[in-house]
Amino acid sequence: MSEAQTPGDESRQRLGFLSAAEAAALTHRGVLIPDPTSVLVSPGVRLGTGAVLWPGVILDARDGGAIVIGAGTQLFPGSRLVASGGSIKVGAHAEIGEEGGFTLKAEAGDVIEVGDGARLLGGGSLTRSNRIGRGAQILGPIRCQNCTLGDGGSYRDPEPDARGAVLKGSGVARQIDVPIGCVIQAFGLFSEGVLRQQSYFHPKPAG
């Protein structure tokens, strides 16, 4: 092992990832990586200034796949993004993987888009093609396939019905389309869930 190598570098490179030193060098481009030895990043992954890779993050682009992460986006422990011939694009200031990680997997022909300020929390996944709009949220261990969540304000927007679309609960969501300001809460099949305005869950105070 050369002085520049760390334990595991040979395995990293055989699996198509940057060495630990190369991962650490991403910090020179403004990426925040508290523990470079704990993250796996493929060459060619594009990371915006201020993006945060917490320990245990995997960004795996292979077979012509592409991964783009916007400025200021946080990838929490357990986040795994795999572009195996497909495309994954995450906008700015999104939050991916808090409260249990999150998996995004785009195979050949798949396009996964996650808008600015979106939140994907609680151990769920996106597979096949999905468009998670600006400010939209997936809250819980939900397996999403071919879903579209409408653009809107972030979860901090004072008007609930102007926020990005939301899926919350647990289960499977296939070909679900949720417009701005709406939410489906389900525990099982989201196709059987009820589409409601977000103000149903977040009513404005009386007076």
Side-chain angles (χ1 to χ4, degrees):
M1 180 185 303
S2 71
E3 292 183 1
Q5 288 184 315
T6 62
D9 270 348
E10 182 179 353
S11 294
R12 283 170 170 262
Q13 291 168 344
R14 289 180 63 183
L15 291 169
F17 295 109
L18 299 176
S19 68
E22 289 169 332
L26 294 172
T27 61
H28 301 313
R29 300 187 220 162
V31 182
L32 304 179
I33 310 178
D35 184 4
T37 62
S38 73
V39 301
L40 297 174
V41 181
S42 294
V45 170
R46 293 168 53 192
L47 295 158
T49 301
V52 183
L53 308 186
W54 290 103
V57 167
I58 299 174
L59 301 178
D60 184 359
R62 61 179 68 189
D63 300 327
I67 297 176
V68 177
I69 306 298
T73 282
Q74 295 206 58
L75 300 173
F76 289 94
S79 299
R80 179 172 177 256
L81 283 62
V82 181
S84 181
S87 171
I88 298 174
K89 182 178 181 180
V90 180
H93 303 289
E95 300 174 29
I96 311 294
E98 194 172 16
E99 302 177 7
F102 217 92
T103 297
L104 286 67
K105 188 172 183 180
E107 297 186 342
D110 295 335
V111 176
I112 294 176
E113 296 182 357
V114 179
D116 296 348
R119 294 204 303 167
L120 310 179
L121 313 182
S125 66
L126 300 178
T127 58
R128 302 185 180 174
S129 291
N130 296 268
R131 185 182 184 279
I132 310 305
R134 174 174 47 83
Q137 301 180 82
I138 298 175
L139 308 175
I142 304 168
R143 294 172 55 199
C144 298
Q145 300 175 350
N146 297 324
C147 292
T148 301
L149 303 188
D151 293 305
S154 77
Y155 68 97
R156 298 184 180 91
D157 193 305
E159 177 51 66
D161 294 341
R163 296 173 185 170
V166 176
L167 295 177
K168 62 189 296 186
S170 62
V172 178
R174 294 191 181 97
Q175 298 180 329
I176 300 295
D177 190 341
V178 183
I180 181 175
C182 293
V183 55
I184 297 177
Q185 181 180 42
F187 300 91
L189 295 176
F190 277 73
S191 58
E192 299 176 355
V194 177
L195 181 69
R196 294 186 170 98
Q197 295 295 122
Q198 291 187 39
S199 54
Y200 176 88
F201 293 96
H202 304 283
K204 292 184 177 181

